[in-house]
Each structure stands twice: as C-alpha cells, then as structure tokens.
C-alpha cells in the first residue's frame, strides 16, 4: 500500500485479484475506486457502468472482480462465508 496523503484514501493494489493487471489497476483508481472495500460494495448497475467505462467487454463479471475483492476482504478480517 502507498503511504496515504492528507485527504486521500488508501489505495489498494488491485493486481492481487485475478484478471487485473497494471492497466486495469490504474483505470480503477482513475474511476475513483481506490480500495477493495469500494470494489466489493459496488452494485450490479455500478459494475455495468464500470465495465463500459473501462471497456472490459464483460471481463469484470467473468473474472468476478467484486466477488474476489469480497473473498479477499473476508480472509483478511477472518470472516468466512
């Protein structure tokens, strides 16, 4: 994680998720999604919009970015589903 700057949220590295490389990691941050919690809490509608903005052609859903973020968060906090 990068050192947080005043007024800036902590930025997670999304490359820990399958299907996200440097390009999509940067694009997610440009879209205002800076951490796994934000990604995990996106609605289906927001994911659809993000899919169009990033032109992933459905990759967000195929790779299950939101679900991966949820699982990772759960494993870090010790909550298992």
């Amino acid at each position: 994680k990068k050192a947080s700057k005043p007024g800036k949220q902590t930025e997670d590295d999304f490359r820990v998720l399958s299907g996200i490389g440097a390009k999509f990691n940067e694009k997610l941050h440009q879209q205002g999604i800076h951490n796994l919690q934000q990604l995990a809490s996106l609605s289906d509608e927001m994911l659809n919009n993000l899919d169009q903005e990033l032109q992933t052609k459905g990759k967000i859903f195929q790779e299950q970015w939101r679900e991966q973020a949820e699982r990772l968060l759960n494993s870090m906090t010790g909550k298992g589903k």
Side-chain angles (χ1 to χ4, degrees):
K1 291 184 181 178
K2 298 174 185 171
S4 37
K5 297 173 183 158
K8 192 167 184 183
Q9 293 189 24
T10 304
E11 288 194 355
D12 287 336
D13 187 346
F14 294 116
R15 291 176 296 179
V16 297
L17 304 178
S18 175
I20 299 182
K23 182 174 89 174
F24 285 127
N25 184 56
E26 188 176 318
K27 286 185 173 192
L28 283 167
H29 290 299
Q30 288 171 353
Q31 291 294 319
I33 300 165
H34 299 294
N35 58 56
L36 292 167
Q37 185 64 54
Q38 287 175 303
L39 182 59
S41 63
L42 292 177
S43 68
D44 287 347
E45 184 180 346
M46 292 164 87
L47 284 176
N48 274 320
N49 292 339
L50 192 61
D51 183 57
Q52 290 174 3
E53 287 291 324
L54 302 186
Q55 299 175 340
T56 67
K57 301 181 180 96
K59 185 174 182 171
I60 288 175
F61 300 100
Q62 291 162 5
E63 301 279 349
Q64 298 185 316
W65 292 0
R66 176 179 57 192
E67 292 78 5
Q68 285 188 67
E70 279 178 28
R71 284 195 296 273
L72 190 57
L73 286 167
N74 287 339
S75 70
M76 292 188 319
T77 58
K79 293 180 194 165
K81 282 193 175 181

